[in-house]
Amino acid sequence: MSESLNTNSTDKAFENRLRPKSFDQFPGQDRIKDNLGIYISAAKKRQEPIDHILFSGPPGLGKTTLAGIVSEEMGVEMRTTSGPALERPADLAGLLTSMQEGEVLFIDEIHRLGNVVEEYLYSAMEDWAIDIVMESGLYAKSVHLTIPRFTLIGATTREGLLSAPFRARFGILERLEYYPPEHLVTIINRSASILGISIEEDGALELARRCRGTPRIANRFLSRVRDVAEVKGDGTITLEIAQQGLSMLGVDPFGLSDMDRRLLQTLLQHDGGPVGLKTLAMTVGESDDTLENVYEPFMIREGLISKTPQGRKLAPRGYDILKAKPGGTTSEGTGNLF
Ligand code: ADP
């Protein structure tokens, strides 16, 4: 994955420092915040844990952050794990039985939970109990474990991979959307003030316009462009510094990364497509999973590419950016466009 788009949480400390702790510090996703506010008040009134929640949407939009805020607002601890980490039912049983009443269990990448563990979760979510089989063969015995009432918060970039019975067990399903520039400017200014970075209004807007609607990427750009401001300027992120820093990161004026541009070029070379996901992935040298979940959702939303049953196609705005026409050759060549 290209460096500027690397949305794996490699720098946890940096992320945690910038992570909002309350709804007031969390700009954007207004509908979701309103809904959660109501569910939290209602649960508190009834003195019950809030219903199980599933947050879905592309990486870096705030799913983990919202899970933390829900726990904070409910006044409970949050335990964090991930789908791949819960390999065996015993891992799940150990975690659940050590929880306190009302606590939140946050499972990131919940679509990667194995089938067996997922099925154990069903009874935990519904009946606050699991029957776990210890040993095997002749010595197998089933142990009934009761669990304190807890809230499961799952996060997924691939809601479609969750089985219907699993999805049905979440009372609250919320899909996060990409952020418009005005919310990203607020996020960038807040992060700049936490990190002690001086940034001008148009510098912040430039980062906001080019970060693929994603706060995690906005924060990463901010910290990288700050270095440019310190070395090439007087430490303040101005419009010029932001532009210079972003082009050093391989982000073009449209906010597209090298990989986005390669994807568009590949489709153009195939007469605009359709090109199958696997072929595309092989051509650009990226995993099909990353293409589908990290790059594509934004490119589809921006009208750069479209998804058809036959494969991916170049969409009208994709042609415009490449200065090309469907069925024709490029008007000015594409070689030096970016
Ligand atoms: P996800 O779990 O969806 O991948 P995270 O919740 O880990 O995303 O957020 C990634 C980073 O972006 C964190 O540093 C977080 O603080 C920041 N972030 C996400 N959404 C917002 C927001 N609405 N306001 C401020 N910061 C945000």
Side-chain angles (χ1 to χ4, degrees):
M1 205 185 298
S2 80
E3 168 59 19
S4 63
L5 248 192
N6 183 358
T7 48
N8 292 327
S9 314
T10 42
D11 194 347
K12 283 258 183 250
F14 174 73
E15 291 225 319
N16 288 338
R17 200 169 157 205
L18 300 179
R19 213 181 272 293
K21 300 276 183 294
S22 65
F23 286 126
D24 306 343
Q25 301 170 0
F26 187 100
Q29 314 291 346
D30 293 344
R31 192 191 48 77
I32 298 182
K33 286 188 299 189
D34 288 349
N35 289 351
L36 290 175
I38 292 170
Y39 304 143
I40 290 169
S41 303
K44 276 176 148 173
K45 226 180 208 166
R46 292 194 303 265
Q47 298 190 320
E48 280 178 6
I50 187 167
D51 212 338
H52 304 303
I53 306 174
L54 181 67
F55 290 128
S56 62
L61 297 191
K63 299 182 290 297
T64 309
T65 307
L66 279 177
I69 295 175
V70 169
S71 310
E72 195 84 26
E73 298 275 332
M74 289 297 297
V76 298
E77 291 294 315
M78 176 169 100
R79 310 281 188 102
T80 300
T81 184
S82 73
L86 288 176
E87 268 180 57
R88 299 165 306 138
D91 299 331
L92 177 70
L95 198 56
L96 290 176
T97 50
S98 69
M99 290 183 70
Q100 306 286 320
E101 185 82 16
E103 279 185 355
V104 167
L105 174 62
F106 175 66
I107 307 185
D108 201 7
E109 297 186 79
I110 199 161
H111 58 275
R112 293 179 62 192
L113 214 52
N115 290 345
V116 180
V117 176
E118 178 181 317
E119 276 170 33
Y120 275 104
L121 252 185
Y122 292 173
S123 62
M125 290 169 81
E126 271 179 346
D127 308 324
W128 321 111
I130 47 178
D131 290 294
I132 193 152
V133 181
M134 315 285 276
E135 311 290 340
S136 58
L138 208 54
Y139 304 102
K141 56 175 190 262
S142 173
V143 182
H144 184 78
L145 299 172
T146 52
I147 294 159
R149 292 190 61 157
F150 70 105
T151 296
L152 175 64
I153 304 187
T156 179
T157 49
R158 310 201 58 185
E159 194 185 351
L161 290 187
L162 252 63
S163 69
F166 197 14
R167 282 184 85 247
R169 283 174 168 82
F170 291 92
I172 304 169
L173 295 119
E174 297 288 359
R175 186 172 173 80
L176 281 76
E177 301 295 341
Y178 289 110
Y179 293 69
E182 62 268 25
H183 289 152
L184 290 160
V185 165
T186 314
I187 292 171
I188 290 166
N189 285 329
R190 174 180 173 272
S191 300
S193 104
I194 294 172
L195 299 169
I197 299 174
S198 145
I199 184 163
E200 289 182 356
E201 190 74 3
D202 45 7
L205 187 59
E206 193 65 7
L207 299 187
R209 276 202 319 107
R210 296 215 228 161
C211 67
R212 304 173 77 89
T214 306
R216 177 178 289 147
I217 298 178
N219 286 340
R220 179 158 300 141
F221 283 176
L222 180 68
S223 82
R224 303 296 294 272
V225 172
R226 160 203 230 169
D227 296 342
V228 179
E230 281 169 1
V231 176
K232 306 237 176 193
D234 65 0
T236 297
I237 301 179
T238 59
L239 174 62
E240 293 71 34
I241 291 285
Q243 286 168 338
Q244 201 176 339
L246 289 169
S247 86
M248 285 164 69
L249 287 167
V251 181
D252 77 7
F254 303 102
L256 302 181
S257 67
D258 291 338
M259 182 57 68
D260 298 316
R261 294 187 295 266
R262 269 163 43 209
L263 284 167
L264 294 180
Q265 295 281 8
T266 305
L267 289 174
L268 187 66
Q269 280 155 14
H270 288 79
D271 300 325
V275 179
L277 180 65
K278 288 207 180 329
T279 310
L280 259 185
M282 260 167 46
T283 316
V284 298
E286 185 51 277
S287 77
D288 45 354
D289 193 56
T290 303
L291 276 197
E292 195 170 21
N293 299 300
V294 178
Y295 292 94
E296 257 188 21
F298 177 77
M299 297 182 77
I300 292 173
R301 196 200 66 155
E302 292 292 296
L304 299 168
I305 62 174
S306 61
K307 210 166 164 175
T308 70
Q310 291 76 37
R312 277 60 179 171
K313 290 174 77 170
L314 202 54
R317 193 159 167 256
Y319 279 105
D320 287 349
I321 284 182
L322 294 175
K323 299 201 169 137
K325 290 203 174 358
T329 48
T330 58
S331 56
E332 295 176 18
T334 54
N336 59 0
L337 248 184
F338 302 105

